Amino acid sequence: MTMDPVALLLRWAHVLAAIVAMGGLVFARFALLPALADVDEETRTRVHDQVRRRWLPWVIGAITVLLASGLVNFLRFNALVKDQGWADGGWMRMTNYHALFGAKLLLAMAAFYFASALVGRGAGTQWVRNDRAKWLSVTLGLSLAVVMLSGWMRQLHTGPDVEPDRAVRMGGNGADVPLEE
């Protein structure tokens, strides 16, 4: 099998954007907020504003790269599965890939909303910034769920070193079931 340089670049872009976004969430929740807990309100507000202005382009950039690369990766993978006729065209249905992708996208959109609200300054999302610790934790949890679903989805089509039509899906009782069934 030959390497597809476009797929590789898209994967790198997607993974690096996720690392930046999640790394920022972890830093803000577990380092920045606790460090600012011991300072006066005026200083805390000033620091939050400075961090927000510097972090906002990174959040927007990460969300943009994740959406663009994720969509292109999804469309390219769908085309590959169709072109190669995995499990006679039934692979997506048998593995529930589209359902998993839908769940991943919904979780990601929620995470993007809260990440944007945390670095925003509009009155409509002030309620998120009023309880930063809670919403950073929620956003981090949503992001972790997206990463876990991504790993699961990736394993569906990479799995052990076998041809795609010999891959397995998870059976209802947790047992691996050959796709041919």
Side-chain angles (χ1 to χ4, degrees):
M1 178 175 229
T2 61
M3 185 185 322
D4 179 357
V6 173
L8 183 60
L9 289 173
L10 285 167
R11 174 137 333 268
W12 284 345
H14 201 74
V15 169
L16 290 172
I19 289 169
V20 167
M22 283 194 71
L25 289 170
V26 169
F27 170 76
R29 177 61 186 94
F30 298 109
L32 182 63
L33 283 186
L36 291 176
D38 297 333
V39 301
D40 62 273
E41 184 63 31
E42 181 183 332
T43 303
R44 186 172 28 252
T45 300
R46 201 169 54 248
V47 169
H48 278 303
D49 187 53
Q50 291 292 320
V51 169
R52 183 200 64 76
R53 279 193 264 145
R54 287 172 174 82
W55 185 236
L56 178 63
W58 289 93
V59 172
I60 292 169
I63 290 171
T64 302
V65 169
L66 286 166
L67 286 171
S69 63
L71 176 63
V72 173
N73 282 334
F74 180 71
L75 294 174
R76 286 172 52 94
F77 181 63
N78 274 310
L80 175 80
V81 169
K82 184 178 178 183
D83 291 346
Q84 292 183 358
W86 291 12
D88 295 323
W91 187 87
M92 292 283 186
R93 181 181 36 80
M94 285 189 255
T95 60
N96 295 314
Y97 194 86
H98 285 115
L100 292 170
F101 181 81
K104 176 184 167 179
L105 182 61
L106 290 173
L107 290 168
M109 295 307 282
F112 296 162
Y113 172 79
F114 288 119
S116 298
L118 285 160
V119 295
R121 51 183 187 163
T125 55
Q126 185 60 47
W127 60 275
V128 175
R129 292 181 299 284
N130 288 342
D131 195 355
R132 281 185 175 93
K134 174 183 175 180
W135 295 108
L136 276 167
S137 296
V138 167
T139 308
L140 193 53
L142 289 166
S143 300
L144 183 59
V146 169
V147 168
M148 292 172 74
L149 268 175
S150 299
W152 182 4
M153 292 170 67
R154 184 70 180 159
Q155 192 64 23
L156 286 174
H157 61 92
T158 57
D161 292 330
V162 296
E163 293 298 314
D165 62 345
R166 295 214 163 151
V168 295
R169 64 182 165 97
M170 186 64 75
N173 63 359
D176 289 338
V177 179
L179 286 179
E180 289 81 33
E181 289 183 1

